[in-house]
Amino acid sequence: MASSTIPAGTATQTRGIWSRLRTGDEVAHLVTLLFAASVVLMTLLLLIGLWTTSGPSQAKFGWKFLFSTDWDPVAGSFGALPFIYGTILTSVLALAISVPLGVAVAIFLSELAPPRLANACAFLVELLAAVPSVIYGLMAIFTVVPLLREYGEPFLKAHFGYLPIFQGPMLGIGFLAAGLVLSIMTVPYIIAISRESLMAVPRDQREAALALGATHWESTSQVVVPYARLGIFGSVFLGLARALGETMAVTMVIGNDPSIHASLFASGYTIASVLANEFTEATGKLYQSSLVELGLVLFLITIIVNALARLLVIATSRKGTGHSA
Amino acid sequence: MTKWKTLILAAAAALSLAGMAAAQSINAAGATFPYVIYSKWFEEFRQAHPSIQINYQSLGSGAGIQQLTAGTVDFGASDMPMTDEQIAALKVKPLHFPTVLGGIVPVYNVTGVSQDLRFTAETLSGIYLGKISKWNDPQLVKDNPGVKLPADDIVVVHRSDGSGTTFVFTDYLSKVNPQWKSQAGASTSVKWPTGTGQKGNEGVAGMVKQTPGSIGYVELIYASQNHLTYGMLRNSAGVFLKADTNTVTAAAAGAAKNMPDDFRVSITNSPGKDAYPISSFTWLLIPSQIPDGSKKKAIVDFLNWMLTTGQKDAAGLGYAPLPKEVVTKETKQLALIK
């Protein structure tokens, strides 16, 4: 809107703009607007790029691409379902572990721990968040996978083997290993951001709760955590975004088998992993465009997840304490 | 004073520009498998011919073919011959020049077994089809007299990343087993009937090392550099042998008689009693027309050098050198570069 005033003609107006420019407001407005627009533009270009490059695959398979379980580069038949399944399953598995763990740690660090311990822990958490994913992948191969194969999976099979998710051969690698590694990778984000938002809860909220006769834990669980829940949700969705798109560490432990198994012990595949594995040697238009369409599917999954996150935030802030975060 | 300085600087700049123009810079991209020897070759060749600089990007065979098709490189490199369809997409027809050979070996981790295991076309394809699922399968026991094979399940490991290694391995399985051919076929990535995938030779070797009862396949050069034990294979003449640079070169010599003129040939399951069955060439893809005269001369000089002096580097780096018959035939093909 501001830009529409610029090309206007008369001298007085120009002088007006110049004087306004000199104060800096207009410049700051324009520059930041431009940068903000570049984000939108990049997203759009990405979407257009993915859409046009995946053209041959869309033309050949149509909607069937999303529901077919066949991935056969030799026969030229491609379907996304095993990859979608693997991506969502490993991410959900990761969050099922990392959300309770991360939020509990954040509550401890911000509410209960002595300040010196809390600061030391917070430093370590930030350190963990900065470790490159390939390091987590190596760690997973050399420690998590053997531990799962020797102890974790036999234990689960012995005690919960009647559940279909804990059946089949125990190799160590597979959905469970991938989910565990992702949970280790997402937990630092959840701790760090949740802790920040818990610490941002005003002091008077706590004091009010205590003054009303609440115990320390009652004040934490019924006042502080609900007050900070938007920040906690934010941390969870950031963790989810990382889990959905994580490539290297998952590729190293998931087994890279494009099929759908109920068992968490089985090998699977994620979208990011198959792109990393197959794109460099993919020959032929259809093969390449199918891989690009997988990228498009991952993009859409991320958009849907983010939209759901927004809806959740809106829904909970309506019925909640009604503050602004 | 400053004027003089500027003048000298300008002259120096002009000279260095002229120097750069005189040097011939050639760009190539492709297969990762021969990267070690290619980088050594290009460096040695540059030392012998200081004016020629060959830059090689090891992006993968598929990427090499793509870049050649797009015209962004002067020549490509690939672990598998180009298909007719791929060649049709090129304006200038490419010539295939085999450079060195590689072999693929089975690696395994079987509890209580320290001897070299013997595999045949039937057992190896049976294992990868999932039809042979126990280490004490009667067929494996029969081929390995004196070895106490356990009743463990076989854990099949294959490459997850698209790779020339997988192409050669599945090409072999397709040749020896009709069911494999119809069900999975040969490619850089296939629809594996069974097993789990790991990235790279190191991923497969690592998985096999830590998983009891597993079997995988890696490049010979990787296995020998890392001192892995690997199995013997029965070749088409019925002889069990281990892969090494001699048996792999013998596979190429065995295939040389029936070598097509364009060198686009698979030498898996090659005839000859010394021929290791899972062997393959790796190729340079050279355009048959190079309009730039000095560039053409540089590339032809390099190929000549590679076929003679360069071959001596191969065995030391774990690659199998070309047999004489193939070198002679390739030297003739040099004349086709116009």
Side-chain angles (χ1 to χ4, degrees), chain A:
Chain A
M1 266 185 265
S3 59
S4 64
T5 60
I6 291 175
T10 67
T12 47
Q13 265 175 326
T14 319
R15 201 179 303 137
I17 288 163
W18 272 116
S19 64
R20 272 200 290 166
L21 278 179
R22 220 168 294 136
T23 62
D25 277 5
E26 204 72 356
V27 178
H29 184 211
L30 273 178
V31 169
T32 49
L33 178 75
L34 208 65
F35 287 176
S38 75
V39 173
V40 178
L41 194 71
M42 257 190 289
T43 316
L44 274 178
L45 285 177
L46 193 63
L47 198 60
I48 294 168
L50 287 171
W51 183 267
T52 49
T53 323
S54 61
S57 162
Q58 290 169 29
K60 172 114 196 249
F61 304 116
W63 288 105
K64 251 188 15 214
F65 184 78
L66 292 178
F67 307 107
S68 162
T69 57
D70 199 28
W71 186 263
D72 188 341
V74 178
S77 164
F78 300 102
L81 198 59
F83 305 102
I84 298 174
Y85 175 78
T87 305
I88 292 176
L89 178 62
T90 52
S91 300
V92 168
L93 205 57
L95 288 187
I97 300 166
S98 65
V99 169
L101 186 70
V103 173
V105 171
I107 290 175
F108 175 74
L109 290 181
S110 74
E111 304 297 312
L112 306 170
R116 205 181 286 170
L117 178 68
N119 285 333
C121 277
F123 173 72
L124 288 179
V125 165
E126 277 157 28
L127 207 65
L128 281 179
V131 173
S133 62
V134 67
I135 306 287
Y136 281 111
L138 284 173
M139 189 193 70
I141 283 192
F142 292 115
T143 59
V144 175
V145 168
L147 283 176
L148 271 181
R149 186 177 56 239
E150 300 298 329
Y151 306 106
E153 292 182 351
F155 173 82
L156 288 172
K157 197 171 191 172
H159 293 84
F160 307 101
Y162 50 86
L163 294 172
I165 56 170
F166 297 128
Q167 288 171 1
M170 297 170 286
L171 299 178
I173 58 165
F175 290 119
L176 189 59
L180 268 179
V181 176
L182 283 176
S183 71
I184 298 170
M185 295 175 74
T186 49
V187 94
Y189 289 88
I190 294 179
I191 296 174
I193 298 171
S194 298
R195 175 172 175 261
E196 289 296 326
S197 44
L198 285 169
M199 291 201 325
V201 175
R203 219 182 136 77
D204 49 9
Q205 292 281 332
R206 284 165 235 240
E207 283 169 357
L210 293 175
L212 287 173
T215 64
H216 195 160
W217 173 245
E218 280 169 344
S219 126
T220 302
S221 63
Q222 288 170 27
V223 177
V224 178
V225 173
Y227 195 97
R229 68 171 186 280
L230 287 186
I232 295 173
F233 282 147
S235 77
V236 171
F237 288 112
L238 195 69
L240 182 58
R242 173 151 205 205
L244 286 172
E246 176 48 43
T247 311
M248 272 317 293
V250 172
T251 308
M252 291 162 91
V253 297
I254 197 169
N256 303 310
D257 174 25
S259 49
I260 296 174
H261 300 281
S263 173
L264 298 181
F265 298 167
S267 293
Y269 226 146
T270 66
I271 295 178
S273 301
V274 73
L275 291 179
N277 272 326
E278 298 192 2
F279 200 79
T280 46
E281 290 287 339
T283 45
K285 278 236 157 57
L286 187 65
Y287 191 4
Q288 274 170 9
S289 66
S290 296
L291 285 168
V292 173
E293 193 171 353
L294 276 182
L296 183 67
V297 170
L298 182 59
F299 193 80
L300 294 178
I301 290 177
T302 321
I303 289 179
I304 291 170
V305 164
N306 272 309
L308 287 178
R310 293 269 151 208
L311 284 179
L312 192 68
V313 166
I314 292 168
T316 49
S317 36
R318 255 191 220 135
K319 69 174 178 201
T321 42
H323 64 85
S324 61

Side-chain angles (χ1 to χ4, degrees), chain B residues 277-310:
Chain B
I278 320 184
S279 305
S280 172
F281 286 122
T282 181
W283 291 265
L284 285 182
L285 310 168
I286 312 279
S288 53
Q289 285 170 14
I290 306 172
D292 179 341
S294 63
K295 194 171 267 185
K296 182 193 140 194
K297 183 174 179 309
I299 291 176
V300 171
D301 284 352
F302 169 74
L303 289 171
N304 250 321
W305 179 89
M306 179 274 289
L307 288 170
T308 50
T309 320

Side-chain angles (χ1 to χ4, degrees), chain B residues 54 78 102 184 189 217:
Chain B
I54 304 176
S78 175
S189 297
Y217 61 92

Side-chain angles (χ1 to χ4, degrees), chain B residues 35-53:
Chain B
Y35 174 67
V36 175
I37 192 162
Y38 284 3
S39 53
K40 188 173 160 93
W41 277 351
F42 296 148
E43 179 53 28
E44 280 182 9
F45 187 69
R46 193 186 61 78
Q47 279 169 9
H49 305 78
S51 63
I52 301 171
Q53 169 80 42

